[in-house]
Amino acid sequence: MDYQQATAVNVSMLTFFVSMLLYNNSYIDPYVVVTNLILIITSGFLLFIKIPARYSWVLIDIEFFVSITEIFFFHGDLSPLSNYAVALMALFLTVLYVISRTYEKVPEFSLIYGILFSFLMSAFARLGTDEEMIDYYSAHVFLEGLNPYLPENTASVYSHFPFFNPVCFGTPFTTGGVVTTLGYPSLSFLVQVPSNIIHSDPNYVNFFFYLLTFVSLYLILRKGESLEIYPYFLFPTLINLDYTLFPDGGIPDIIWVFFVILSLQSEKIFWKGLFYGVAISLKQVPLALLPFYLYYLRREGYSVVKFVFYSVFTFVIFNIY
């Protein structure tokens, strides 16, 4: 990928960011919904074009300073002394950024800054979503030797988390009541087994994979000798705070996204199939990618049969019981 393509991806991510802002603020307005849809489609088309990269680093500079500004807004209710500390830290980070620009070390700075920024902007919720709560409780049921897929074994999930109001956070049925059953493949709750054992916040698992995605993308680009475009992916991710707040707010999708990225970037068909199998063992959503992925594999000369076999085998291993 060259600078023109990287710039197009960057602008695409910014366009998608605008669509998320619109939808978050007025998702029941039909005009906003239509505008949102147009922006999403536009962001998709941008991935297939090249944008002149003459001033692309100006865009990266702007995104960095926007992210610095977001730190102040996020921590704006701190005491005056804390605000001074945040200001000094922001100044220090800005100096480091300027130095990295001068000595062409922005990718290295970006990785460190991205991890630090994510910690600064995190606000770990207590579970956050009913999906996270059910996954976490299912891991507990599993450790008790019971089958979490039997409705009666998870029916009392809300009584175990009295602070979690089903009226506010539950997924309602049209016939009354809320969802209390496990609806995802087994790895969705197996990843929460360690959290149950050490009695830690399950959102730490999501956040760990969020940071791991930063590191893996950095290593992938470095291996492909394209590390210079790493900031083009990182900074639009940082300024879209939803990407940080989702994992630490109880939305675990970043875990399957991480394994899909590993699958797409792996060179051997075994690893492609294995990582994709792990992804679909977490959630059914990656199956939406399958037709396009199979077409890509066939076009690139990979064995589709082997990919399907390794994926299915991995899925069965995690879900056989």
Side-chain angles (χ1 to χ4, degrees):
M1 180 178 291
D2 57 26
Y3 278 106
Q4 291 180 325
Q5 291 173 308
T7 304
V9 172
N10 186 290
V11 175
S12 172
M13 295 175 70
L14 292 177
T15 305
F16 190 74
F17 171 46
V18 174
S19 74
M20 293 179 71
L21 287 177
L22 288 175
Y23 193 72
N24 286 342
N25 292 327
S26 186
Y27 62 89
I28 60 174
D29 187 326
Y31 295 103
V32 172
V33 172
V34 172
T35 304
N36 176 263
L37 182 60
I38 293 172
L39 288 171
I40 292 175
I41 294 173
T42 302
S43 68
F45 277 117
L46 285 170
L47 297 174
F48 297 94
I49 67 173
K50 291 186 177 184
I51 295 179
R54 184 177 179 181
Y55 301 107
S56 60
W57 274 104
V58 176
L59 183 61
I60 301 301
D61 293 338
I62 293 173
E63 289 168 352
F64 168 75
F65 285 110
V66 169
S67 69
I68 287 290
T69 304
E70 286 179 332
I71 295 176
F72 282 101
F73 278 106
F74 196 78
H75 296 283
D77 57 346
L78 299 175
S79 64
L81 181 61
S82 297
N83 284 331
Y84 284 129
V86 172
L88 287 173
M89 181 184 62
L91 178 61
F92 176 69
L93 290 171
T94 302
V95 171
L96 288 182
Y97 177 72
V98 172
I99 293 173
S100 70
R101 286 279 274 117
T102 303
Y103 293 96
E104 299 183 352
K105 295 293 182 181
V106 180
E108 291 77 9
F109 169 82
S110 300
L111 175 61
I112 298 171
Y113 176 71
I115 294 173
L116 176 62
F117 178 89
S118 299
F119 274 105
L120 288 172
M121 306 305 284
S122 296
F124 292 102
R126 296 184 68 186
L127 298 178
T129 62
D130 61 337
E131 176 187 349
E132 188 83 328
M133 176 188 66
I134 294 171
D135 288 346
Y136 187 69
Y137 183 66
S138 295
H140 169 74
V141 169
F142 175 76
L143 290 173
E144 293 291 322
L146 301 174
N147 186 348
Y149 286 103
L150 297 178
E152 60 269 23
N153 289 337
T154 57
S156 61
V157 59
Y158 278 97
S159 66
H160 286 78
F161 304 99
F163 60 86
F164 207 74
N165 190 335
V167 176
C168 297
F169 297 100
T171 300
F173 288 115
T174 56
T175 54
V178 293
V179 173
T180 59
T181 54
L182 179 64
Y184 296 112
S186 61
L187 203 55
S188 64
F189 71 84
L190 290 176
V191 296
Q192 296 297 348
V193 166
S195 298
N196 269 266
I197 293 174
I198 63 176
H199 303 290
S200 69
D201 190 328
N203 290 321
Y204 292 157
V205 175
N206 305 336
F207 191 67
F208 171 76
F209 278 96
Y210 177 67
L211 299 181
L212 204 58
T213 303
F214 286 176
V215 177
S216 64
L217 183 58
Y218 176 90
L219 295 176
I220 288 168
L221 291 175
R222 188 177 69 173
K223 182 180 178 181
E225 298 182 352
S226 301
L227 190 57
E228 66 276 1
I229 64 173
Y230 180 69
Y232 289 75
F233 299 98
L234 183 75
F235 283 111
T237 300
L238 296 183
I239 65 175
N240 188 345
L241 291 183
D242 282 336
Y243 289 142
T244 301
L245 299 179
F246 279 6
D248 62 33
I251 300 177
D253 293 75
I254 188 61
I255 306 178
W256 68 257
V257 168
F258 170 76
F259 285 104
V260 166
I261 291 174
L262 291 186
S263 177
L264 290 169
Q265 294 300 320
S266 298
E267 296 179 357
K268 294 184 178 180
I269 193 65
F270 170 78
W271 293 111
K272 283 184 174 293
L274 185 145
F275 288 133
Y276 186 77
V278 172
I280 60 176
S281 295
L282 286 156
K283 221 168 187 180
Q284 299 93 327
V285 179
L287 289 172
L289 178 67
L290 186 59
F292 309 98
Y293 201 176
L294 294 179
Y295 171 77
Y296 162 78
L297 291 172
R298 185 175 181 180
R299 190 189 67 181
E300 296 297 317
Y302 288 100
S303 171
V304 172
V305 174
K306 288 184 178 180
F307 173 81
V308 173
F309 173 78
Y310 294 137
S311 299
V312 172
F313 180 78
T314 304
F315 179 84
V316 170
I317 290 296
F318 286 113
N319 293 273
I320 194 169
Y321 81 93

